[in-house]
Amino acid sequence: MYYNSYFYHYVPQDRNNYYQMANELNESPIVNDIQKAINAEYSAVICYDKLAKLAQSKDESERIYEILKDEQRHLEQFSRIFTTLTGKKPSYQIIEECPDNYRDGIEFAFKDEQDAVDFYLDIADKAKEPTIKERFHRAAADEQNHAVWFLFFLSKSPNVTHSNRQTQNYGAEGALSALTLSLPQMLTYALQDEYLAQARYDNILKNFGYIRTFAQIKEAELKHINALLPLFERYQIPIPDDESQLVVSTPESIKAAYASGVQGEIENISMYEKFLTLTIPDDVRTVFTQLRNASFNHLAAFERGLARV
């Protein structure tokens, strides 16, 4: 939903070079990129208004409306930049259709927000004018935050199946369903989920042979375990037994294996996001943040693999 308000210009501090800059950029790739960003924001505003109405709880609906307000602000800011650079108003087009199903919609929004982060950072790198750089850097940070929220909604969706989980009290699933969380519980759930990732990848490599993505991420997940173990000793918390073999199952196909990787990372990231909203020691917060960030990379790798098979 775009409001035809008047878009005022901002002018770079060096006014002598302003019109020269505008002329140089008017036909440059960055102007085309900004137009694409405008269309993406316009499409997002329309889509998120739709998703907010489909949301399965009042809290989710309100959060999506908050995200929508950010997208409206981006739309206005990008439009001002475009008008300043070109001397004309941008066009507004819906470039992607929003799914009618709520879960499909939030999955679509999550992927779209991830793509927007990279795209906006690329625009910021190309831009020479500091104000443009700053606008797109801030927009990229907003989009990353939005992606986390949509990921959280996705993990809570009742349509999500947990084919690899035989219990709801283990690892990330246990953490996400818990009403309260102490530090020992958080560390235990985190280590359980990292154990589970190892067991899942061992199972896949054993049954489907060497798959580079799973082998590399399995090795990376060992570093997650090694990052968590010192915290148990530091806070004198008993290290839980590794029972992951009891709750892992074999996927039906390589495609299902990649899908299990995607779902596992979604739950893992959502778990750490939940932990980071709580009051925890600084050293624990640092480790949880690092593991969450690494899991974003793992998620992207599994999504690429799923798209290929």
Side-chain angles (χ1 to χ4, degrees), residues 30 33-44 48 70-71 74-75 77-78 95 112-127 132-144 146:
I30 196 171
D33 285 344
I34 293 172
Q35 177 63 73
K36 291 178 184 177
I38 289 168
N39 289 338
E41 292 294 340
Y42 179 67
S43 301
Y48 297 171
D70 285 345
E71 307 296 11
H74 296 167
L75 180 61
Q77 291 173 342
F78 296 169
I95 55 176
D112 193 60
E113 295 287 347
Q114 283 188 304
D115 291 340
V117 173
D118 292 336
F119 184 43
Y120 292 172
L121 289 176
D122 184 57
I123 294 176
D125 288 342
K126 292 178 182 177
I132 299 177
K133 284 183 175 291
E134 188 267 342
R135 288 285 189 273
F136 277 93
H137 272 300
R138 291 187 63 179
D142 288 341
E143 304 295 15
Q144 183 66 69
H146 299 167

Side-chain angles (χ1 to χ4, degrees), residues 52 55 57-69 153:
S57 72
K58 182 179 178 182
D59 287 344
E60 287 189 21
S61 178
E62 290 177 351
R63 174 55 61 179
I64 294 172
Y65 275 126
E66 289 298 316
I67 292 173
L68 187 152
K69 290 179 183 178
F153 300 154

Side-chain angles (χ1 to χ4, degrees), residues 170 196 198-200 202-203 242-249:
Y170 193 87
L196 183 58
Q198 286 291 303
R200 184 189 301 120
D202 278 338
N203 179 276
D242 183 357
E243 300 177 343
S244 57
Q245 293 293 339
L246 302 176
V247 294
V248 73
S249 58

Side-chain angles (χ1 to χ4, degrees), residues 7 96 162 188:
F7 292 112
E96 293 182 289
H162 303 284
T188 296

